[in-house]
Amino acid sequence: MGEQGDPCTTEQCVAVADMQRFVARVAAAVHSHGSRMPVTLGSASLKWSGGQYQWWSAAAIQSADNVDGGTLDFFNVHYYSWMEPYDWDPCGASSASYNGLDRPTVFGEIPAVGSCCAV
């Protein structure tokens, strides 16, 4: 999957709508088997889950494939210092409402040193 407006840099590209449909069906399959395990997707940046794109919001995924249970339970995003000048900075004024997030969010990948969110 390439970023919107950018050429895909892999050998085979996947359209956003196709990936959303795939995510919806995987989430629905997990949820339909009575699993209490939450479903998420690792996303390279906060901008894909909220803000200008919202590719993984419930509304976006359901518009690609409105299958029962086909939404994520929480967002799993990555954060690095190169994102600080943009609106993808979770350490600044950002909040769930600021970024338009409709699910709880976990930062599953952050640097150990060298940024506002270093652990």
Side-chain angles (χ1 to χ4, degrees):
M1 234 174 75
E3 294 185 14
Q4 254 183 355
D6 292 340
C8 186
T9 57
T10 62
E11 288 183 27
Q12 294 181 341
C13 297
V14 177
V16 173
D18 291 340
M19 189 64 181
Q20 289 168 325
R21 192 170 17 266
F22 173 76
V23 169
R25 291 178 184 183
V26 168
V30 172
H31 290 137
S32 72
H33 288 285
S35 173
R36 297 191 62 169
M37 297 298 293
V39 178
T40 193
L41 167 80
S43 188
S45 174
L46 184 59
K47 77 176 184 177
W48 306 125
S49 300
Q52 62 197 36
Y53 295 103
Q54 297 191 19
W55 286 355
W56 311 120
S57 69
I61 293 173
Q62 288 174 332
S63 71
D65 194 338
N66 194 16
V67 60
D68 284 344
T71 59
L72 300 176
D73 296 305
F74 67 97
F75 294 128
N76 175 6
V77 298
H78 307 165
Y79 175 74
Y80 290 96
S81 60
W82 66 264
M83 299 173 181
E84 289 174 15
Y86 305 98
D87 288 340
W88 321 317
D89 177 4
C91 307
S94 299
S95 67
S97 61
Y98 175 78
N99 283 296
L101 301 172
D102 67 353
R103 298 282 182 262
T105 303
V106 171
F107 287 86
E109 200 171 301
I110 58 174
V113 295
S115 85
C116 68
C117 291
V119 291

